Amino acid sequence: MTVASFASLYTTRFREKWMPYQPTSLHASNPHPFTVRELDLLIGENVLSIGSETLLDYGVDSGYPPLRQALVEQLYPQLQADNVLTCAGAQEGIYLCMHALLEKSDKVIAFTPLFEPLIATARDISCQIELLALDSENGWKIDFQQLAETIDDQTKMLIINYPHNPTGSHLTEEELGAIIALCQQHDVWLFSDEVFRGLEHDKADRLTTVAESYEKGISLGAISKAFGVPAIRVGWLVSQRHSFLDRCKTIKGYLSICNDQLGERLAVNLVKQAEILFDHHRQRLVANLQLLENYKPELDFHSPKAGCTVFANVAMDSERFAENLVKKTGLLVIPNKAFCTRHNAVRLGFGRKYLKKYLDQLF
């Protein structure tokens, strides 16, 4: 494992700076979190009921077997439970993947704007990172000619994130197929952050997972985003390559070793009811997006197709805009620097219950 000097993430530094203001998040990328009672009523069972005879011991390093089985049955039907490794949230999954596959000077390609942790570990490993800008004038589309000119036989990994954070843009199956074809041509690992899969505003837009579609594809998932339960710190990596998962498990032995067993057991009930949870969130997202559209043109953004966020253009420097906003209203948004782009915009979340109240404070 490469020894690295870790730099603090911009988002973490920015949020910590304003914690004394006790701000309200207007940047959240997850749907409004459930209460336990709301979850019980929605899925028709006691979510926290795991049995008084549950042994509070260490778990299986690869993950609680019933959870891994539920994941493939509900989300990865073309794969088996041994294609899944659970981890302590999505962040550990990113770390495990990058350290399992990457070495100093490896070429890694990603698209901006992006969720900074997707490249932070590769950056700390001292990889050669090529950042390709999504087309902001064309719905944040990938420039496939630019991608074809950049990816080559020296490329170790391509990183994608769809549904996309922070823009809410999405791929078609044809576009995903074109990405996979380029990776196959050059024998490139394809790391796919799919934590928002299930939050498509039109269910028909849901993509096949990368792990199912490509032998060197890796899918990242988590309970925190599409399921809307960030209190449960459970994520997972999915791959057809058992040797890759074994390497990740070895590295995990120096980190979490295994997840907390209560969290993994609670996650089983949520995964089994995935479509009920996704549908619940989708109703709010579609309604809130219609509300958000009413604030155009004062609020300038490309309408998303999935997820809970937009990347809204602002007239002044985005960091200054965010600072002025939190001082004036107590609402916190995240500037463009957090997403490794010069495009002057802020991430604004629209997955929360009280969106109109917050929006009224903006104007």
Side-chain angles (χ1 to χ4, degrees):
M1 190 187 307
T2 304
V3 177
S5 175
F6 296 97
S8 178
L9 298 174
Y10 175 88
T11 305
T12 302
R13 299 196 308 271
F14 188 81
R15 286 200 307 249
E16 286 179 347
K17 177 180 179 180
W18 299 106
M19 286 304 293
Y21 283 71
Q22 297 183 312
T24 297
S25 170
L26 191 56
H27 64 79
S29 59
N30 59 287
H32 198 100
F34 293 103
T35 65
V36 173
R37 176 172 174 77
E38 286 171 337
L39 264 180
D40 288 349
L41 293 173
L42 186 60
I43 69 175
E45 59 182 274
N46 184 348
V47 175
L48 296 182
S49 177
I50 58 175
S52 60
E53 299 304 315
T54 299
L55 184 65
L56 301 179
D57 200 354
Y58 290 106
V60 178
D61 292 3
S62 296
Y64 183 46
L67 173 58
R68 293 161 67 205
Q69 185 61 37
L71 284 166
V72 295
E73 289 176 358
Q74 296 295 323
L75 302 180
Y76 310 94
Q78 299 179 46
L79 300 177
Q80 304 297 319
D82 62 2
N83 295 117
V84 179
L85 172 70
T86 66
C87 44
Q91 295 279 34
E92 186 182 51
I94 296 170
Y95 185 92
L96 293 175
C97 176
M98 303 304 165
H99 277 283
L101 296 177
L102 300 178
E103 297 178 353
K104 182 178 179 179
S105 300
D106 279 344
K107 181 176 177 179
V108 176
I109 300 173
F111 299 99
T112 62
L114 55 66
F115 178 55
E116 186 184 7
L118 286 174
I119 60 166
T121 302
R123 180 181 62 207
D124 291 332
I125 294 171
S126 298
C127 292
Q128 174 193 344
I129 302 173
E130 299 272 355
L131 296 178
L132 307 182
L134 298 173
D135 186 352
S136 61
E137 300 299 320
N138 188 29
W140 299 105
K141 292 285 188 179
I142 292 173
D143 183 335
F144 277 91
Q145 180 177 345
Q146 183 186 38
L147 175 59
E149 292 171 352
T150 305
I151 195 169
D152 55 26
D153 293 347
Q154 303 306 310
T155 305
K156 189 68 170 289
M157 180 183 290
L158 173 64
I159 299 171
I160 61 173
N161 163 216
Y162 289 96
H164 189 258
N165 173 21
T167 70
S169 63
H170 202 28
L171 297 174
T172 64
E173 285 285 358
E174 291 74 21
E175 289 169 329
L176 179 59
I179 291 171
I180 291 173
L182 283 169
C183 289
Q184 289 173 325
Q185 178 184 344
H186 297 286
D187 194 31
V188 172
W189 286 95
L190 179 58
F191 180 81
S192 179
D193 176 356
E194 299 169 5
V195 298
F196 299 101
R197 185 172 182 264
L199 297 183
E200 301 82 6
H201 302 165
D202 183 343
K203 187 176 179 179
D205 290 335
R206 190 179 305 174
L207 298 172
T208 307
T209 68
V210 162
E212 292 174 287
S213 305
Y214 177 38
E215 184 185 358
K216 294 186 73 172
I218 302 160
S219 293
L220 174 73
I223 289 294
S224 57
K225 300 301 183 182
F227 289 84
V229 191
I232 298 179
R233 307 305 299 155
V234 174
W236 52 87
L237 291 168
V238 187
S239 174
Q240 296 180 37
R241 290 283 185 94
H242 293 102
S243 58
F244 160 72
L245 294 174
D246 288 343
R247 176 63 176 152
C248 288
K249 186 165 64 173
T250 298
I251 298 168
K252 187 183 173 190
Y254 292 87
L255 302 171
S256 65
I257 305 177
C258 62
N259 278 358
D260 76 278
Q261 290 309 287
L262 298 182
E264 290 209 340
R265 281 162 170 76
L266 294 176
V268 174
N269 286 341
L270 303 182
V271 171
K272 287 182 176 179
Q273 304 292 343
E275 294 304 327
I276 291 176
L277 300 181
F278 297 162
D279 287 344
H280 171 86
H281 295 313
R282 184 177 296 110
Q283 291 178 29
R284 173 171 291 141
L285 293 179
V286 171
N288 278 1
L289 180 56
Q290 292 176 347
L291 175 63
L292 203 61
E293 296 277 2
N294 292 336
Y295 287 81
K296 286 184 173 180
E298 289 84 358
L299 197 58
D300 179 23
F301 62 92
H302 177 80
S303 296
K305 292 187 175 181
C308 305
T309 62
V310 297
F311 204 43
N313 299 312
V314 290
M316 69 174 67
D317 173 77
S318 68
E319 190 168 45
R320 187 152 59 92
F321 174 88
E323 292 178 352
N324 289 346
L325 182 67
V326 73
K327 290 177 181 178
K328 180 180 178 181
T329 68
L331 298 173
L332 189 65
V333 294
I334 302 297
N336 63 325
K337 289 182 182 178
F339 305 101
C340 307
T341 178
R342 294 179 180 177
H343 187 89
N344 193 52
V346 296
R347 187 178 75 182
L348 189 152
F350 61 92
R352 299 304 173 103
K353 282 183 180 179
Y354 311 111
L355 181 64
K356 188 177 188 308
K357 180 180 74 173
Y358 302 146
L359 291 175
D360 286 343
Q361 292 177 254
L362 286 176
F363 303 105

